[in-house]
Amino acid sequence: MDKFWCEVDLQKLLENIAILNNINDKKTIAVVKGNAYGLGIEEITNFLQDKVDMFAVYSIKEADKIKVYKDILILSPDIEYDRLKDLKKNYILSIGNLEVLEKFHKDSNYRCHIYVDTGMNRLGIKPEDVKYYVNYIKENCLNVKLEGIYTHLHNSSKINYTKRQIINFKNSIESVKSQFEYIHCLSSNSIINKEYREIAKFTNTVRVGNILYGYSGMSFGFKPIYSMYCKIMYDYYVDRGESIGYGNLYRTKRKTKVGVVNIGTIDNIGVIRQRRQNFVIHILKTAYKYFFKSSYIYYNNKKLDIIGNPSMNYTLVDITGIDYKKSHKLKVNICPTICDTSLRKKYIS
Ligand SMILES: *Cc1c(COP(=O)(O)O)cnc(C)c1O
């Protein structure tokens, strides 16, 4: 039996797309990097192929996992050079430097988007160089078709900073934008912001991942499309006053019914995929969780008390007085993005 599994609700995915379409009149690139945020790239792209305009992944290697014929934007400008010969026709590369152009094969054709770095200072073309790059490619690389241009808003909680980024992007492409079919900068956390949408009116496409799957945007109605489940392996009673678990840290205050779940710290239980906004807040939250015993295993939406600390492979839960049957599944707070591809998934439509 699987230790735990993931149920993916495709109906909710549809609903999330409907919410997105409500606030967005642009073309949609569904980001499916990281195995579609842990939810299974093959199934998710299969389901989404006629509902979005394009897919985006991190690398060519990831694009190879997509079986449907739909345009796929490879986001990383750090391109796998050994794969540049005879790329599939639906693959679109991101150009973030001139070096990659030298690696292109003369007798192959390349579809590309230009990636502009408006502040992340990682990879990408600086706004002031955009015009030069576009003209350079037009004149020197006849096998390169420039189809799009984009930037990434990497810190959308900083309002003024992000606004400036969008405006920088706008200014940098002003003289060349008519040459591009796709112009994009908004992603999950920026498309939900009305002000950003207003400033980004000159764009015609969005790239979204998190809100589609319900990892963020909950206050705007987006819902998680995934639930993780586990089962209790076996259960037993422990008398009052006995200790349970490692280091005898836990002492029963009453006769206790204990359930054993075979997931543990190795499975990263209790790790919530959440941006660490601030280190101090993170520490406080961790401390809070320690003192106010949060739980990550639920029975019919009721939190179960965790007994002691989870060990590497097992977690003990208090199921005293709970009428559960062996076949019952328990919801567990494990984030699919940190699970590997072997995680069993069940798609519900
Ligand atoms: C991951 C990623 C996205 C999607 O971001 P979400 O917050 O999941 O919408 C968009 N653009 C780039 C460049 C990315 O790397």
Side-chain angles (χ1 to χ4, degrees), residues 31 33 37 56 58 75 115 122 150-152 185-189 207-211 213 216 273 275:
V31 181
K33 64 187 178 196
Y37 291 56
Y58 173 75
L75 293 167
Y115 174 58
R122 198 173 56 174
Y150 70 99
T151 192
H152 191 39
C185 67
L186 298 176
S187 55
S188 290
N189 288 330
R207 306 181 306 273
V208 286
N210 276 308
I211 50 174
Y213 314 115
S216 69
R273 191 172 169 286
R275 218 164 288 170

Side-chain angles (χ1 to χ4, degrees), residues 17 35 46 53 70-71 73 80 100 117 139 188 207 215 234 242 268 270 292-293:
I17 287 177
N35 193 29
N46 218 355
D53 299 278
K70 186 107 204 171
D71 284 345
L73 175 63
E80 299 120 293
V100 62
D117 179 2
E139 281 164 28
S188 290
R207 306 181 306 273
Y215 286 113
Y234 49 84
E242 299 273 329
N268 286 307
F292 301 93
K293 292 234 182 280

Side-chain angles (χ1 to χ4, degrees), residues 128-140:
E128 58 270 24
D129 297 332
V130 167
K131 197 173 161 189
Y132 168 77
Y133 268 69
V134 172
N135 290 332
Y136 177 89
I137 293 168
K138 286 263 163 200
E139 281 164 28
N140 298 287

